Amino acid sequence: MPHTYSLSPIGEIESPFKEKFGIPRQPGLCNAALGSIKLYGDANNEMAVKDLTQHSHIWILFLFHQNLEQGWKPSVRPPRLGGNQKTGVFATRSTFRPNGIGMSAVKLLGVRQSGQQWFVDVQGVDLLDGTPVVDIKPYIPYSDKIEQAHSDMADSAPTQSLNVVFCQQAQTQLSQYKKVTNNQYPHLEQLISQVLQQDPRPSYKQNKPDDKIYGIRLYDINIRWQVTNNRCDVLAIELDNEQTQGIKGK
């Protein structure tokens, strides 16, 4: 009988992604997706992050915490195969895994301190806000980048197939939002575009007629959008925050 081990998070992710729908399927696909690792307990220590900035990129090891109670199955239907074809879970990056552990290689922007709190700032995150982080490791190019590596299932990045267009109402709401928040998220328009270019709809919906209006939540806003052919129209940017309720489009 194998031994049982336990893991304690060393921190959690702060990211623009407030729900699973719309999160990029791999790290680095949306370089406007900025995030931070907020460190906990003994890991919230200057010595723990000493010299981390000597590395340009890091590995984040984390838990798929919203899926743990649902368990796992030996076979899954990965989006890369259209969502209808089954394959072995260990041949995929499925979030439904025996131990619910994930890993992302992201660009390191820096390490900072705010009061007694330490943060590790990163770029290109593909993680849900609040995701528990169990470890941070440096990305080492000479060993982690394998020139001869290949994947018959996913040998290239997904094509950014959608042309994203902000309608007049969305443009107005975006401009008003920036004013009210003092441009708190300067790359917001770029982030919205990059997320929607990936076409986050279910695989079976892609390349088919679809008149449904979808919504994605980023930061404290809800984005409503619709796809026609290869064009994605951003219809509205609606705010959750009570402070900004008055600037919604009429």
Side-chain angles (χ1 to χ4, degrees), residues 6-247:
S6 61
L7 291 173
S8 297
I10 61 156
E12 69 176 40
I13 288 288
E14 295 181 348
S15 90
F17 303 110
K18 304 300 183 181
E19 58 188 14
K20 289 186 285 185
F21 182 57
I23 295 179
R25 294 191 173 104
Q26 298 294 342
L29 294 178
C30 296
N31 59 29
L34 307 181
S36 300
I37 304 170
K38 181 180 180 180
L39 296 173
Y40 289 160
D42 292 341
N44 184 34
N45 187 305
E46 181 179 7
M47 294 307 298
V49 293
K50 184 177 183 293
D51 295 330
L52 183 60
T53 53
Q54 292 188 19
H55 308 279
S56 67
H57 292 72
I58 58 173
W59 289 103
I60 302 175
L61 279 72
F62 59 91
L63 297 176
F64 292 111
H65 61 299
Q66 291 195 352
N67 294 346
L68 294 177
E69 293 183 357
Q70 300 179 46
W72 70 285
K73 294 181 180 180
S75 60
V76 295
R77 303 176 188 268
R80 199 59 184 251
L81 297 181
N84 293 317
Q85 182 178 336
K86 283 191 174 183
T87 192
V89 65
F90 296 134
T92 75
R93 301 248 183 132
S94 169
T95 59
F96 295 96
R97 316 192 67 79
N99 287 303
I101 297 174
M103 52 190 282
S104 289
V106 296
K107 183 176 181 179
L108 175 62
L109 296 180
V111 174
R112 61 184 168 90
Q113 184 181 17
S114 178
Q116 299 299 312
Q117 181 63 58
W118 284 90
F119 296 88
V120 177
D121 296 328
V122 294
Q123 180 180 18
V125 294
D126 61 337
L127 301 174
L128 184 69
D129 187 60
T131 293
V133 175
V134 296
D135 205 354
I136 300 169
K137 296 179 183 290
Y139 180 95
I140 306 298
Y142 81 85
S143 62
D144 292 349
K145 183 178 179 181
I146 304 173
E147 297 291 348
Q148 297 80 19
H150 69 91
S151 169
D152 293 339
M153 186 181 299
D155 207 32
S156 60
T159 303
Q160 295 185 348
S161 58
L162 297 183
N163 176 32
V164 179
V165 178
F166 289 75
C167 74
Q168 185 58 55
Q169 174 173 295
Q171 290 180 25
T172 300
Q173 292 171 322
L174 183 63
S175 177
Q176 292 174 328
Y177 177 80
K178 288 181 177 180
K179 289 180 181 178
V180 168
T181 62
N182 196 26
N183 204 21
Q184 182 178 3
Y185 307 116
H187 305 293
L188 179 58
E189 185 172 357
Q190 184 182 7
L191 174 63
I192 295 171
S193 294
Q194 290 181 354
V195 169
L196 296 181
Q197 282 171 359
Q198 305 292 328
D199 196 348
R201 296 176 299 164
S203 299
Y204 68 88
K205 288 277 191 179
Q206 298 175 9
N207 300 317
K208 295 180 180 178
D210 184 8
D211 59 0
K212 180 177 178 179
I213 295 177
Y214 292 87
I216 281 182
R217 189 164 172 243
L218 299 173
Y219 297 118
D220 56 353
I221 62 175
N222 292 302
I223 298 99
R224 290 194 293 118
W225 50 281
Q226 188 174 36
V227 175
T228 305
N229 297 323
N230 286 328
R231 170 172 163 153
C232 176
D233 289 303
V234 180
L235 304 176
I237 296 175
E238 301 173 334
L239 308 170
D240 291 337
N241 196 317
E242 290 182 1
Q243 176 186 3
T244 51
Q245 285 292 319
I247 70 171

